């Protein structure tokens, strides 16, 4: 009876409202501010293309999230908190689940941590230089390009700050659990400040500039007839989808704490649905504000609205300062989350003995909790950081780290789509028990088509066919960042980033398991290219001998 009471107490620690807040705080935040620049650039600032990009990507994201309302209820998980890798293993297969588990901390969390630390560094960079210019009437703009600091050393300075931020949060979270809780709570509240500010300023002042909202959007709709047949117009829409999906990602974070949710079978799927609808509303509000005032850069949007239109220098300085500080705090919250989540995911790999160096890391973690995970996670962060920082600093561009973070999400939406496909097949085979959701089949089919189309379009057309056609053009490069303008990449350079990321994403789990096989001949778990049942039979025979 005592054991049952403990379990129930643990299971009831997170209610529906708390679960919704947890997902919203993970999904809604700063991604839309950094990725809208890419969306506007890809569509050449065409408002119709921007709206269509957001509509298509939002449908894919929502239908994917809604489909997971059934996926998360699959029974028989070995680890209730395994999240995506656990569901993937049950519905698709052991090998696919192992791949997802390995890449989650070594690639996904590490890449997003590097990207968000860079964005946070840019905000700090802009605020510092803007603060030194506040007294000058002619140079009060907070935009880095307008301040004249887009020099050949800009990227090097930004990446150096980013590196310090990464390890500050990794170390402080390791030594102090309270630190992470304080940052998380503070950032969750503060991140809504820039969302509301940009939405309201963009929509209200945008309507004043354009006389009224109806007039503004009538202009948008009249552009369709002119550009609907333009190949660049269509490609601009499709190229923008991965960047928008970045803004909707992290909705599956609830899966890693499923056993702590009250009435998990009902509340986990319900929390995903409700939170994603709310997140979509917030994201669309920001985008409408940006479209109405015709500017993706939030600092430029405030300049146009408050300084240029309202002629208020004081108001501009106040709004830009609030925006800067709130973005910094919000990105700190994201850094804190990825530091914690990545370390925990890596520790899970060590405990399950599926990451190279797990024996050494397990010994260290036994003496100092999670220390082995911190070392291994840091290794992959440094690996990815150097792969991004060195070429970015040499070329002096923000497009590389922007592209890398977008691709990390793109590949994981491929995993989401495959997991949903496994769930659809499970409806036929009935191999695994799930709590059926009535809309799962139609929504799941649309989600799989959307995820696969986005992935295949990027692989086959954008980063292969268009590169072969025009290697020195930039029509295949979908990477761009609105806060710091860097050197634009040619198609072959963008394709090099894409295929390098793809090679690491696909290949590293195999390299990881190959190293484990060579270094540990008595390894008892199935490797990524082995069938779990066959290895279990083999191990039983070996024990018999």
């Amino acid at each position: 009876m005592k054991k049952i009471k403990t379990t129930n107490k643990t299971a009831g620690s997170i209610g529906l409202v708390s679960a919704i807040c947890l997902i919203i705080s993970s999904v809604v935040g700063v991604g839309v501010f950094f990725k809208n620049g890419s969306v506007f650039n890809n569509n050449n600032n065409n408002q119709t293309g921007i709206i269509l990009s957001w509509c298509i990507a939002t449908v894919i994201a929502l239908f994917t999230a809604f489909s997971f309302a059934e996926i998360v209820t699959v029974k028989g998980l070995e680890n209730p908190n395994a999240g995506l890798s656990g569901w993937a293993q049950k519905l698709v297969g052991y090998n696919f689940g192992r791949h997802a588990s390995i890449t989650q901390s070594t690639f996904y969390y590490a890449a997003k941590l590097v990207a968000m630390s860079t964005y946070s560094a840019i905000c700090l960079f802009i605020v510092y230089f803007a603060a030194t210019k506040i007294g000058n009437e002619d140079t009060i703009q907070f935009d880095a390009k307008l301040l004249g600091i887009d020099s050949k050393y800009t990227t090097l300075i930004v990446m150096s700050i980013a590196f310090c931020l990464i390890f500050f949060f990794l170390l402080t979270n390791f030594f102090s659990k309270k630190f992470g809780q304080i940052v998380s709570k503070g950032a969750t509240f503060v991140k809504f400040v820039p969302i509301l500010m940009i939405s309201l300023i963009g929509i209200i002042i945008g309507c004043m500039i354009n006389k009224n909202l109806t007039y503004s959007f009538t202009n948008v709709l009249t552009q369709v007839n002119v550009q609907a047949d333009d190949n660049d117009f269509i490609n601009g829409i499709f190229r923008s989808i991965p960047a928008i999906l970045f803004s909707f990602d992290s909705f599956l974070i609830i899966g890693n704490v499923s056993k702590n949710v009250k009435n998990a079978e009902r509340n986990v799927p319900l929390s995903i649905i409700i939170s994603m609808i709310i997140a979509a509303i917030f994201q669309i509000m920001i985008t409408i504000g940006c479209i109405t005032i015709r500017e993706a850069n939030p600092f430029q949007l405030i300049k146009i609205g408050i300084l240029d239109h309202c002629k208020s220098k004081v108001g501009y300085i106040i709004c830009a300062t609030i925006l800067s500080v709130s973005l910094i705090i919000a990105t700190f919250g994201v850094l804190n989350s990825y530091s914690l989540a990545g370390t925990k995911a890596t520790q899970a790999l060590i405990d399950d003995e599926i990451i190279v160096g797990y024996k050494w890391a397990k010994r260290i973690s036994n003496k100092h909790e999670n220390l082995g995970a911190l070392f291994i996670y840091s290794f992959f962060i440094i690996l990815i950081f150097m792969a991004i920082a060195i070429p970015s600093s040499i070329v002096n561009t923000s497009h590389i780290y922007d592209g890398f973070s977008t691709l990390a999400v793109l590949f994981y939406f491929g995993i989401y789509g495959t997991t949903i496909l496994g769930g659809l097949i499970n409806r036929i085979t009935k191999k695994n028990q799930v709590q059926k959701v009535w809309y799962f089949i139609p929504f799941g089919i649309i989600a799989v088509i959307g995820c696969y189309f986005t992935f295949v379009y990027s692989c086959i057309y954008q980063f292969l066919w268009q590169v072969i056609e025009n290697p020195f053009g930039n029509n295949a490069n979908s990477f761009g960042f609105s806060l710091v303008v860097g050197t634009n990449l040619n198609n072959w350079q963008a394709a090099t980033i894409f295929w390098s990321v793809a090679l690491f994403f696909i290949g590293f789990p195999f390299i990881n398991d190959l190293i484990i096989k060579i270094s540990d001949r008595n390894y008892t778990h199935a490797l990524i290219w082995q069938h779990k049942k066959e290895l279990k039979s083999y191990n039983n025979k070996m024990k018999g001998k």
Side-chain angles (χ1 to χ4, degrees):
M1 291 297 291
K2 187 176 182 180
K3 183 177 180 181
I4 294 173
K5 286 181 180 180
T6 303
T7 304
N8 288 340
K9 185 178 179 180
T10 303
S13 59
I14 300 177
L16 177 61
V17 175
S18 297
I20 292 171
C21 292
L22 176 65
I23 299 173
I24 290 176
S25 65
S26 301
V27 175
V28 178
V30 295
V32 65
F33 294 108
F34 301 124
K35 293 301 180 180
N36 247 343
S38 302
V39 178
F40 274 61
N41 291 337
N42 293 335
N43 288 284
N44 295 317
N45 291 321
N46 180 282
Q47 294 170 301
T48 304
I50 295 166
I51 292 172
L52 290 176
S53 297
W54 269 93
C55 288
I56 294 171
T58 301
V59 168
I60 294 173
L62 288 180
F63 279 42
T64 299
F66 292 173
S67 298
F68 269 90
E70 177 168 314
I71 299 295
V72 300
T73 65
V74 65
K75 309 293 184 182
L77 295 180
E78 294 180 8
N79 180 357
N81 281 344
L84 177 62
S85 60
W87 306 323
Q89 181 174 333
K90 290 293 293 184
L91 295 172
V92 182
Y94 170 81
N95 309 86
F96 183 78
R98 185 179 176 99
H99 189 286
S101 182
I102 294 171
T103 55
Q104 189 171 37
S105 58
T106 63
F107 171 74
Y108 176 76
Y109 283 132
K112 295 195 76 173
L113 181 60
V114 171
M116 293 311 303
S117 67
T118 310
Y119 299 152
S120 184
I122 288 169
C123 291
L124 286 169
F125 187 65
I126 292 173
V127 169
Y128 171 76
F129 280 94
T132 63
K133 303 279 188 176
I134 288 296
N136 190 328
E137 292 283 327
D138 299 324
T139 55
I140 62 173
Q141 290 85 358
F142 276 65
D143 181 71
K145 186 69 174 179
L146 294 174
L147 287 166
I149 55 175
D150 186 25
S151 71
K152 62 181 180 179
Y153 300 113
T154 300
T155 303
L156 180 61
I157 296 171
V158 165
M159 298 305 291
S160 299
I161 298 172
F163 186 84
C164 295
L165 286 173
I166 289 173
F167 286 95
F168 172 79
F169 280 94
L170 284 174
L171 293 173
T172 48
N173 274 295
F174 176 75
F175 288 108
S176 174
K177 293 181 180 180
K178 290 185 178 180
F179 173 81
Q181 295 173 359
I182 294 171
V183 172
S184 180
K185 290 179 181 178
T188 299
F189 172 76
V190 172
K191 69 169 59 178
F192 290 99
V193 174
I195 292 173
L196 295 175
M197 178 185 292
I198 295 301
S199 300
L200 293 176
I201 291 176
I203 293 172
I204 295 173
I205 298 182
C207 290
M208 293 169 61
I209 295 173
N210 296 298
K211 305 302 181 184
N212 58 65
L213 190 61
T214 304
Y215 172 79
S216 177
F217 277 90
T218 299
N219 285 347
V220 172
L221 295 175
T222 56
Q223 296 178 29
V224 176
N225 294 329
V226 178
Q227 301 194 35
D229 297 327
D230 190 342
N231 192 46
D232 288 339
F233 174 72
I234 301 298
N235 287 328
I237 294 171
F238 293 152
R239 286 201 306 266
S240 302
I241 293 175
I244 299 173
L245 293 180
F246 181 96
S247 302
F248 282 105
D249 200 24
S250 300
F251 62 90
L252 291 181
I253 192 170
I254 192 67
N256 297 113
V257 292
S258 294
K259 74 175 183 180
N260 295 336
V261 178
K262 293 179 182 178
N263 192 7
E265 288 189 356
R266 182 185 76 93
N267 288 342
V268 169
L270 192 59
S271 64
I272 292 175
I273 294 171
I274 295 173
S275 60
M276 284 298 284
I277 292 174
I278 296 173
I281 293 171
F282 279 124
Q283 311 280 35
I284 291 170
M285 281 176 58
I286 296 171
T287 303
I288 290 175
C290 292
I291 289 174
T292 307
I293 219 163
R294 295 179 174 85
E295 179 56 58
N297 186 326
F299 292 98
Q300 277 285 63
L301 184 147
I302 289 178
K303 175 184 175 295
I304 294 171
I306 305 298
L307 184 63
D308 296 346
H309 182 73
C310 297
K311 309 297 182 184
S312 174
K313 293 181 179 179
V314 174
Y316 169 71
I317 293 173
I318 293 173
C319 289
T321 303
I322 293 173
L323 175 64
S324 302
V325 173
S326 58
L327 278 178
I328 290 170
I329 295 173
T331 52
F332 281 1
V334 177
L335 287 177
N336 181 70
S337 298
Y338 286 136
S339 298
L340 286 169
T343 303
K344 288 184 177 181
T346 306
Q347 185 60 50
L349 293 180
I350 295 169
D351 294 337
D352 293 338
E353 301 181 346
I354 61 174
I355 188 68
V356 63
Y358 71 88
K359 286 185 177 180
W360 167 81
K362 186 178 286 189
R363 286 196 299 269
I364 296 176
S365 291
N366 288 337
K367 295 180 180 179
H368 305 282
E369 186 180 4
N370 293 332
L371 182 58
L374 180 64
F375 280 127
I376 291 181
Y377 187 39
S378 297
F379 171 79
F380 287 102
I381 291 172
I382 292 172
L383 184 67
I384 290 177
F385 185 89
M386 297 305 291
I388 296 173
I390 293 174
S392 294
S393 298
I394 293 173
V395 183
N396 192 30
T397 180
S398 60
H399 289 209
I400 295 176
Y401 51 79
D402 179 68
F404 206 98
S405 61
T406 299
L407 296 179
V409 172
L410 172 66
F411 289 125
Y412 254 72
F413 263 86
I415 289 180
Y416 300 158
T418 304
T419 305
I420 295 171
L421 179 61
L424 291 170
I425 295 173
N426 184 66
R427 276 293 191 99
I428 300 172
T429 62
K430 298 179 181 179
K431 183 178 178 181
N432 295 288
Q433 184 183 355
V434 295
Q435 183 178 329
K436 293 183 179 180
V437 178
W438 65 268
Y439 57 77
F440 174 68
I441 292 178
F443 278 35
I445 291 172
I446 294 172
V448 171
I449 292 172
C451 290
Y452 279 5
F453 171 80
T454 304
F455 189 80
V456 171
Y457 173 84
S458 298
C459 290
I460 305 301
Y461 186 75
Q462 183 181 351
F463 292 113
L464 189 61
W465 181 255
Q466 285 191 311
V467 177
I468 294 173
E469 279 190 326
N470 186 13
F472 295 99
N474 57 16
N475 57 321
N477 176 23
S478 60
F479 312 142
F481 185 51
S482 62
L483 294 189
V484 177
V485 180
T487 305
N488 200 15
L489 301 177
N490 292 327
N491 288 345
W492 72 266
Q493 293 171 317
T496 300
I497 296 172
F498 177 87
W499 291 110
S500 297
V501 174
L503 186 64
F504 180 83
F505 172 73
I506 296 170
F508 175 73
F510 290 89
I511 296 173
N512 173 80
D513 282 13
L514 181 62
I515 296 173
I516 290 176
K517 181 182 179 181
I518 294 172
S519 60
D520 187 358
R521 296 185 179 277
N522 297 319
Y523 190 68
T524 57
H525 302 288
L527 298 170
I528 199 166
W529 56 80
Q530 295 175 319
H531 293 290
K532 191 176 182 180
K533 290 182 179 179
E534 291 178 2
L535 188 72
K536 187 175 181 180
S537 176
Y538 169 78
N539 288 333
N540 289 334
K541 288 180 181 179
M542 293 298 291
K543 287 179 181 179
K545 291 181 180 180

